[in-house]
Amino acid sequence: MSDVIAEEPHFLAERDGHVLTVTLNRPAAKNAFSPTMLVGVADAWKMLNDDDELRVGILTGAGGDFCSGMDLKALAAGFSEEEMNRMAEDPDLHWKALLRHGRPMKPIVAAVEGYCVAGGTEILQATEIRVAGESAQLGIAEVQRGLFPLGGSTVRLQRQIAYTMAADLLLTGRLISAQEAKEIGLIGHVVPDGQALDKARELADRVAANGPLAVKAVLKSMRETAAMTEADGLAHELTIGEPIIFNTNDAKEGPRAFKEKRQPNFTGT
């Protein structure tokens, strides 16, 4: 049974079993980020990270679009007093919302429909598994407006797709189709329009059914070894996988369940 745990004018967070679905909810603005949305989404990511019952997140947008980046008009209008206080308490809050800093140590599945532009494609790069409807459009258009993509794309994109394709997207600011995004490795799954969230939920459920400690450890190793040499990465991998995982109850339950031909009952211990 799903449970709406945070509902504000500009975002929605919903828990269903081990899955937390975060919905950007400004469809009239193609789900561009507002101050209210930044604060709420940052809180949702903290919840995903801190709650042991939550094993995977989904990020999507309402009304047929994913996200068109920052709403410069909304930012120019300023933050409310409460939002200003939150920013004063945590000056990094907006970067945490955009997954530039402080990413949850749980995987996130992106469900993309329609527009996924500028900050939309930037936050996309901080997710692990990505699904897009076939009519989705993706791109990082900041240079077309004389701006710089501060969400991390000049660093992350060239590590995720071929350098020349990253340069193409970043320097031209052009938009690409979901199919082209899949061909260059930016998107993993392309589905009929309107089905991205269903496919994302299917994949999230598969992740959530696995050993949660194992999933977190695999994710930790992937992130921490990404910029290492192969030799250093292999050495570091052993420090994560062997001592942390193989002595857990889950590591015993998985093989036992396989032997007994039943679904494992992972407890995260």
Side-chain angles (χ1 to χ4, degrees):
M1 187 73 175
S2 62
D3 180 23
V4 175
I5 52 180
E7 185 172 12
E8 299 292 343
H10 296 172
F11 83 100
L12 175 69
E14 186 175 9
R15 177 202 299 267
D16 189 358
H18 297 301
V19 180
L20 179 70
T21 299
V22 178
T23 303
L24 309 181
N25 191 29
R26 298 185 72 214
K30 296 189 184 299
N31 299 317
F33 278 98
S34 68
T36 299
M37 186 187 288
L38 289 172
V39 172
V41 171
D43 287 344
W45 296 143
K46 186 178 188 304
M47 181 187 306
L48 176 63
N49 188 69
D50 295 348
D51 189 332
D52 289 339
E53 287 300 308
L54 292 172
R55 299 180 181 180
V56 59
I58 295 174
L59 176 62
T60 192
D65 288 300
F66 183 67
C67 178
S68 57
M70 297 300 299
D71 187 332
L72 300 182
K73 292 181 180 179
L75 289 179
F79 288 68
S80 69
E81 182 177 355
E82 181 182 354
E83 290 160 354
M84 288 292 290
N85 290 336
R86 290 292 307 276
M87 291 294 294
E89 293 169 4
D90 183 0
D92 224 21
L93 183 143
H94 59 303
W95 292 135
K96 292 176 180 177
L98 297 171
L99 297 174
R100 190 184 196 276
H101 300 169
R103 294 160 69 189
M105 286 309 301
K106 313 268 181 76
I108 299 173
V109 184
V112 177
E113 301 278 1
Y115 248 51
C116 176
V117 180
T121 294
E122 294 214 272
I123 197 172
L124 181 76
Q125 294 165 59
T127 64
E128 277 67 44
I129 302 175
R130 305 164 194 169
V131 182
E134 56 191 358
S135 294
Q137 292 183 291
L138 304 93
I140 304 154
E142 275 80 354
V143 292
Q144 293 184 353
R145 300 174 179 84
L147 301 174
F148 188 98
L150 282 173
S153 291
T154 64
V155 177
R156 285 176 174 162
L157 194 60
Q158 63 180 309
R159 300 180 184 206
Q160 297 183 10
I161 64 176
Y163 175 86
T164 186
M165 292 309 305
D168 181 338
L169 296 181
L170 287 164
L171 298 176
T172 68
R174 72 183 179 93
L175 302 187
I176 60 174
S177 67
Q179 188 57 45
E180 183 176 354
K182 185 175 187 297
E183 290 169 359
I184 65 175
L186 183 60
I187 289 288
H189 303 265
V190 176
V191 297
D193 291 339
Q195 296 184 21
L197 183 56
D198 288 342
K199 181 64 176 179
R201 181 58 199 244
E202 174 193 327
L203 293 165
D205 284 341
R206 293 193 66 169
V207 173
N210 296 329
L213 296 179
V215 168
K216 287 176 67 175
V218 167
L219 184 60
K220 176 181 174 68
S221 183
M222 290 178 66
R223 289 183 182 172
E224 293 182 356
T225 62
M228 294 182 183
T229 65
E230 181 174 311
D232 287 346
L234 290 172
H236 188 62
E237 180 189 61
L238 287 178
T239 70
I240 297 172
E242 194 167 29
I244 296 176
I245 297 303
F246 281 87
N247 292 321
T248 64
N249 292 325
D250 282 355
K252 299 177 177 66
E253 166 64 8
R256 185 187 304 119
F258 178 79
K259 181 180 179 180
E260 296 173 359
K261 298 181 179 180
R262 58 175 175 81
Q263 291 297 312
N265 178 29
F266 293 122
T267 60
T269 61

